[in-house]
Amino acid sequence: MTDSPRTAVIAVGGNALSPPGERSTIADQFRHTRESLGPIVDLALDGWRVVLVHGNGPQVGDELVRNEKARSEVAPLPLGVLVAGTAGWIGYMLQQSLENALRKAGNTQDVVTVLTQVEVAADDPALKDPKKFVGHGLSVARARELRSEGHPVKKDAKGHFRRVVGSPTPLAIHELATIRSLIERDTVVIACGGGGIPVYRDAVLGLEGVDAVVDKDLAAAVLASELGAELFLILTDVDAVYTGWGTDEKRAISTMRVGEADRLASEGAFGEGSMAPKVAAAADYVRRTGGRAIITELSKGRAAVQGAGGTEILP
């Protein structure tokens, strides 16, 4: 008798495809995409049912710049539509690159991208309090210029000026049934791209879009919980969660109970725009499901799943 397949939801940041400090062309982003897929392919080959969630921070920031530069020629697109657009083209890059890598390894699984709507509250206070970083670092002059035009700008954890937008809490995954039926057919699914397209339910019109960006780790946690996934893996640019990050006292945390994660988060131990949402997402998933949640560097994904490295959040 064979074990029933296990489901892994894997969250990968948009920075993996467009690293900070690099003006990435699409050719660059395809190259980075191919380089980033190793641990995802490994898990599929190890027999996991895989759902991949990706970020879009650098890409949607670039789209906002394109909108501004071209607005004298064509009507600008709202942020929610730009999230959908980036989910489409990043999904295409991942889908094509994943299929090529799987075929090379002798795996015949289909790979499909599901453009995913994520339900949020229309009155979420985060919509009026922009904190979610998008786009690349800005020069001081450009940051001043954007502020004068009414666009909020803040310094990120690395001291770079960047645009910030509203980021409401994800409540439910609208295309959940579609995603579930695909993974039950052993399809590798790319879903909740860029955190998903934020929507709310209007009493008269039904689903309506929101101009915001949902945090991809929080959306992935909701998706992992609703799917009943046994593993939630957050792949980022550091090998583990640290306390005292950026100081001489920095210390990697190998395991952390949910209660400890909550306490450290309330004390501001993690970067608000970087590690804090990852820890919150992992803790939320474990609290809901009792499953395994691991945060680690992209290249160390498979090793961390096997118990070597990363930070695991425990019930």
Side-chain angles (χ1 to χ4, degrees):
M1 185 174 163
T2 57
D3 292 333
S4 59
R6 299 162 298 168
T7 299
V9 172
I10 306 169
V12 178
N15 285 331
L17 315 182
S18 182
E22 180 186 293
R23 291 176 68 88
S24 301
T25 65
I26 282 292
D28 292 328
Q29 292 192 49
F30 263 103
R31 177 169 51 83
H32 292 309
T33 301
R34 289 191 290 271
E35 290 164 355
S36 71
L37 294 179
I40 297 146
V41 172
D42 288 341
L43 284 171
L45 297 177
D46 287 345
W48 288 87
R49 287 173 166 169
V50 172
V51 181
L52 180 60
V53 175
H54 63 81
N56 69 342
Q59 294 84 0
V60 83
D62 287 348
E63 290 301 292
L64 285 168
V65 173
R66 287 190 184 100
N67 260 259
E68 284 155 12
K69 297 283 188 191
R71 67 184 156 194
S72 62
E73 301 286 330
V74 290
L77 296 171
L79 181 56
V81 173
L82 295 179
V83 171
T86 56
W89 59 263
I90 298 171
Y92 157 61
M93 290 196 299
L94 287 165
Q95 184 175 314
Q96 186 186 88
S97 301
L98 257 175
E99 182 172 319
N100 286 342
L102 288 168
R103 296 296 178 272
K104 195 173 178 182
N107 180 297
T108 59
Q109 283 176 282
D110 289 330
V111 185
V112 70
T113 302
V114 177
L115 208 59
T116 314
Q117 298 171 95
V118 171
E119 296 181 35
V120 303
D123 58 355
D124 189 312
L127 292 169
K128 293 180 179 173
D129 182 20
K131 287 180 180 173
K132 177 73 177 167
F133 291 106
V134 296
H136 299 280
L138 304 165
S139 67
V140 174
R142 181 61 182 147
R144 193 179 297 125
E145 194 179 321
L146 282 170
R147 279 181 177 147
S148 71
E149 293 170 5
H151 302 295
V153 173
K154 291 185 179 179
K155 273 190 179 179
D156 65 13
K158 293 175 180 169
H160 300 133
F161 284 110
R162 291 171 67 199
R163 289 180 74 137
V164 285
V165 297
S167 185
T169 301
L171 303 175
I173 309 301
H174 187 66
E175 283 74 19
L176 181 70
T178 301
I179 295 163
R180 182 179 280 122
S181 67
L182 285 165
I183 61 171
E184 285 172 355
R185 290 170 51 194
D186 214 24
T187 300
V188 176
V189 180
I190 299 156
C192 293
I197 305 146
V199 297
Y200 70 95
R201 289 188 178 275
D202 182 90
V204 177
L205 299 171
L207 292 176
E208 282 284 291
V210 181
D211 283 331
V213 172
V214 176
D215 181 89
K216 68 107 180 27
D217 298 307
L218 297 178
V222 174
L223 177 60
S225 300
E226 292 188 348
L227 285 173
E230 288 83 356
L231 173 66
F232 177 33
L233 182 61
I234 298 177
L235 299 176
T236 183
D237 56 357
V238 289
D239 60 342
V241 179
Y242 284 78
T243 55
W245 180 258
T247 71
D248 294 337
E249 272 75 58
K250 77 171 185 177
R251 179 180 66 84
I253 304 168
S254 59
T255 60
M256 195 171 19
R257 299 265 170 206
V258 166
E260 186 188 359
D262 292 340
R263 178 181 61 78
L264 288 168
S266 70
E267 292 169 0
F270 313 120
E272 184 183 318
S274 51
M275 191 54 78
K278 292 173 175 45
V279 174
D284 182 54
Y285 160 78
V286 173
R287 195 180 291 113
R288 289 199 207 191
T289 67
R292 292 184 72 197
I294 299 168
I295 301 170
T296 192
E297 188 185 11
L298 190 67
S299 63
K300 295 181 167 62
R302 190 184 199 181
V305 172
Q306 293 168 346
T311 299
E312 182 161 356
I313 313 288
L314 304 170

